[in-house]
Amino acid sequence: MSLLKINDMTHRFGGLTAVSNLNYELEDGKIYGLIGPNGAGKTTVFNLVSGFYNPSMGEINYNGEVINGMAPHDVASRQIGRTFQNIRLWEDMTVLENIKMSHHFKLGYNLIDVFFKTKKYQTREKEITEEAMELLEVFKLTDLAHERPSSLPYGIQRRVEIARALSLGPKLLMLDEPAAGLSTADVVELIDYIKWVHETFNITIWMIEHQMQVIMSLCDRIKVIDFGQEIADGVPEEIQNNPEVIKAYLGDGAI
Ligand SMILES: Nc1ncnc2c1ncn2[C@@H]1O[C@H](COP(=O)(O)OP(=O)(O)OP(=O)(O)O)[C@@H](O)[C@H]1O
Ligand SMILES: [Mg+2]
């Protein structure tokens, strides 16, 4: 059984069709790439799957359940983690607090417990802090636990964001342009890091990326979309040599 199956999904923003009759299937444990020129609809696909938008048409099945129309926190609690094209970390909080925040909807205490600092609150708070510190240790970020994200290099902020996305134990990790804004050296490190995450947590990874080095060295399978529609799907070698793909990226003069 596939982990994620998208059937005939379309999404319109007013008169603009951002995603058009898209079909998708992700199998457990592999690394998938979604590529296409600027404005092709890639982020919209991620936003549809993670519950930020409700598709105009079509169905999204995840782990045997229809998830379209669910709120983002309901999707996240079904073990889908994601990062964003522009890093979204809470700048006023420390790295540790950022990780802890992702646990807010499975806290196990309510507002009364917080207000009166009940034993339940104190115990659970301690547990969450310990869990978050363990996670930081796994990701070799312990030394940065009390730093604010804005004081850290961009490559490290990406790692914190990926660690946060993994903190709820997803089966599927979605990365929207993880290499954007990174230096060449940082891109090489990121590739190793994603490989490590994939091997260590044994999860399915689905990434959008413009940097072909990242896509081609990591992905088992790649889908290419343009104007919201699929133009190619295959293994890296097939995609690299596909004339439709070259044309979409470089324009009519390319072939
Ligand atoms: N909330 C929105 N409201 C209206 N139009 C939108 C909205 N979000 C995206 N679009 C439009 O939908 C199309 C697809 O956008 P999307 O962000 O999904 O592209 P993308 O493939 O992620 O591009 P990029 O590589 O530049 O990130 C674009 O034409 C964009 O302007
Ligand atoms: Mg995008």
Side-chain angles (χ1 to χ4, degrees), residues 38-39 41-44 85 176-177 208 210:
N38 290 117
K42 305 178 297 295
T43 297
T44 304
Q85 192 162 348
D176 192 348
E177 296 197 32
I208 296 171
H210 282 290

Side-chain angles (χ1 to χ4, degrees), residues 180-239:
L182 298 190
S183 69
T184 314
D186 283 348
V187 169
V188 174
E189 273 190 23
L190 180 84
I191 293 172
D192 287 342
Y193 187 68
I194 294 174
K195 273 187 193 152
W196 175 81
V197 164
H198 183 240
E199 281 159 20
T200 309
F201 300 97
N202 196 19
I203 53 174
T204 308
I205 296 181
W206 188 17
M207 70 169 91
I208 296 171
E209 189 48 72
H210 282 290
Q211 300 224 20
M212 287 305 127
Q213 184 194 0
V214 178
I215 285 287
M216 295 297 164
S217 58
L218 286 172
C219 296
D220 295 302
R221 208 170 174 87
I222 300 163
K223 197 187 281 294
V224 191
I225 61 171
D226 195 12
F227 298 107
Q229 280 181 320
E230 176 176 324
I231 58 168
D233 192 316
V235 297
E237 302 78 61
E238 289 169 329
I239 296 302

